[in-house]
Amino acid sequence: MELNQLTIHELQEKIKNGDVSAKQITESVFSRIDAVEERVHSYIRLMKEEAFAAAAKADENIKKGDVKPLTGIPIALKDIVCTKGVTTTCGSHILHNFVPPYNATVVEKLKDAGAVFIGKTNMDEFAMGSSTETSWFGSTRNPWDLERIPGGSSGGSATAVAADECIASIGSDTGGSIRQPAALCGVVGLKPTYGRVSRFGLIAFASSLDQIGPFTKDVEDCAIMMNVLAGYDAKESTSVPAEVPDYRQFAGLDIKGFRIGIPKEYFIEGIDPEVTAAMKKAISVIEQSGGQCVEISLPHTQYCVATYYIIAPAEASSNLARYDGVRYGFRASEVRDLLDMYKNTRMQGFGAEVKRRIMIGTYALSAGYYDAYYKKASQARALIKRDFEEVFKNCDVILTPATPTPAFKIGEKTDDPLQMYLSDIFTISANLAGIPGISVPCGFTTGGLPIGVQFLASHFEEGKLIQVASAYERNAKIEKRRPAL
Ligand code: GLN
């Protein structure tokens, strides 16, 4: 195996034993990037110079015996987290030249833990999308089938891990943007509880839903990343001062006596039969592992997509008001006056999907319609949250498909926003309720496309997610395949 194919914990061992240097690991990642990046397009921007400088620093520290959890580990960052001095575009023309003057808290934390940053990954513009096709920088392709989408919006972060162009990466999840691409690319992706990970320096899409989380090659790596990312941040008012357990200790535990809820509303018509079959298999693996699967009901599930597509655009319309060409980013030239400058900047700077969201959101918040849309959606959201609270009185975790279908073809849904929105039908509820969720690889279709199973837990129960996901991973023994690129 090449170094770039290894997991964080495997590399940690090799570094500790003095078998490899950070420089060698970084070289192996960049030679892989040289070989496949042109076809996959995981990255908007590579940070080669910075990466080798960080690797050299890591090697000095290793020599001194100063080895931190991510010392010398190549990590990719979704281009939605601010990196000091490194252009951060959010996949948008309007920010194509934006150079942040500070680092996001997660970037600082990863850096303090010794990480080597490889680059900024491609994403749907402002994280609005499920396929990484709305990026101003072009589409990312699924490494398992280059004709297909990798999922979104954190598509580049998923493909960078799946194609071994980094060891782990960071994404953001507002309605599924970590778990959905993780499922479609065959990697592990976790959306933490709302408030678990600081969003300071995360470019805002929908502030009551956004969370930052990791993509990794296995569940143990996910726990290692969460140990670094989680925790209170005085700079972020929604971050919660709750104690952070050592997530890694959950990775080896069994799940004897665990109660796993199977929500009947998530096994509906329209799911790909191969996904349904994979879920049946996953349920039996969980049962063989000592878990007790019980049918449950989340009665307001049918309102999730509609509720999300009021709340998320409403918040986006407000968050995106700041892009006016005055303070940063793109500014239209050839304008008549100030108003014309605003209009042209936003018209030329935003893509079609972002404009659609701004229009929906502005409409939903406008005086005459607020009660009918935004207020109604907020009420529905409270019911959706209550469904989960009821279920978690009797269940440790919930098992669902991560996505209704495997990766679809590039271009297949770009003209049909509603079909695109339905790709997140199983992931959106966790964001509305603020609970954590993880997507874990659970097999392949006959055509060789990855399928993911999702586990959901109650607030701040990421430990349970790691526990059930790692027990599943150990016992399912899903064949280790690599995309043939
Ligand atoms: N696909 C969903 C949307 O388009 C979710 C995106 C996300 O989680 N950032 O809004």
Side-chain angles (χ1 to χ4, degrees), residues 93-401:
H93 185 204
I94 213 158
L95 283 178
H96 77 282
N97 56 357
F98 171 57
V99 182
Y102 61 92
N103 276 329
T105 294
V106 293
V107 173
E108 283 294 319
K109 285 191 166 201
L110 291 164
K111 207 170 125 199
D112 289 347
V116 170
F117 297 129
I118 297 301
K120 306 295 296 285
T121 61
N122 197 17
M123 54 180 286
D124 281 301
E125 185 180 7
F126 282 100
M128 297 171 188
S130 309
S131 63
T132 317
E133 291 170 294
T134 72
S135 171
W136 190 67
F137 300 88
S139 308
T140 296
R141 287 161 186 269
N142 193 311
W144 296 94
D145 177 348
L146 296 170
E147 301 293 302
R148 290 177 191 268
I149 57 99
S153 66
S154 318
S157 289
T159 58
V161 174
D164 300 309
E165 296 180 276
C166 69
I167 305 302
S169 65
I170 292 297
S172 67
D173 188 314
T174 304
S177 280
I178 293 176
R179 292 160 288 152
Q180 186 254 17
L184 302 188
C185 292
V187 298
V188 175
L190 183 140
K191 179 203 92 79
T193 306
Y194 187 77
R196 178 83 288 187
V197 174
S198 167
R199 288 116 29 105
F200 178 76
L202 171 76
I203 296 174
F205 163 9
S207 305
S208 78
L209 302 160
D210 299 338
Q211 263 296 293
I212 294 174
F215 287 91
T216 55
K217 297 186 192 191
D218 69 7
V219 177
E220 187 167 351
D221 276 8
C222 178
I224 294 171
M225 289 291 280
M226 280 304 291
N227 279 350
V228 173
L229 298 173
Y232 175 68
D233 177 10
K235 291 193 209 125
E236 211 266 79
S237 63
T238 62
S239 88
V240 175
E243 210 185 305
V244 180
D246 173 9
Y247 291 113
R248 207 169 173 178
Q249 86 189 18
F250 291 93
L253 302 179
D254 70 39
I255 53 163
K256 289 212 175 67
F258 250 52
R259 278 172 71 85
I260 323 287
I262 314 292
K264 59 171 191 245
E265 292 83 359
Y266 283 64
F267 291 82
I268 44 174
E269 231 177 277
I271 304 184
D272 186 284
E274 292 198 273
V275 172
T276 309
M279 291 310 119
K280 285 207 178 113
K281 258 198 184 155
I283 291 170
S284 74
V285 171
I286 289 292
E287 280 175 337
Q288 282 154 22
S289 313
Q292 191 192 341
C293 293
V294 288
E295 190 185 87
I296 56 159
S297 174
L298 295 161
H300 297 93
T301 299
Q302 57 174 310
Y303 302 113
C304 286
V305 174
T307 301
Y308 173 88
Y309 277 98
I310 297 295
I311 291 176
E315 294 182 10
S317 71
S318 156
N319 275 325
L320 270 56
R322 72 190 67 170
Y323 305 105
D324 55 8
V326 175
R327 283 157 290 195
Y328 33 64
F330 167 77
R331 177 187 295 177
S333 47
E334 293 172 35
V335 297
R336 284 191 308 274
D337 52 27
L338 183 63
L339 186 61
D340 205 40
M341 191 281 283
Y342 290 147
K343 282 187 186 166
N344 287 349
T345 295
R346 288 169 70 82
M347 188 166 65
Q348 295 164 26
F350 290 134
E353 183 59 30
V354 173
K355 285 180 194 156
R356 179 169 16 246
R357 305 282 178 115
I358 293 173
M359 285 190 274
I360 295 173
T362 307
Y363 179 82
L365 289 175
S366 58
Y369 298 98
Y370 181 90
D371 283 358
Y373 294 106
Y374 189 79
K375 195 170 157 209
K376 254 285 167 27
S378 302
Q379 288 165 334
R381 182 178 188 174
L383 295 174
I384 291 161
K385 189 162 173 246
R386 199 186 299 160
D387 283 355
F388 282 106
E389 283 162 4
E390 282 304 312
V391 162
F392 286 126
K393 285 181 185 161
N394 294 311
C395 284
D396 294 288
V397 296
I398 294 171
L399 180 155
T400 82

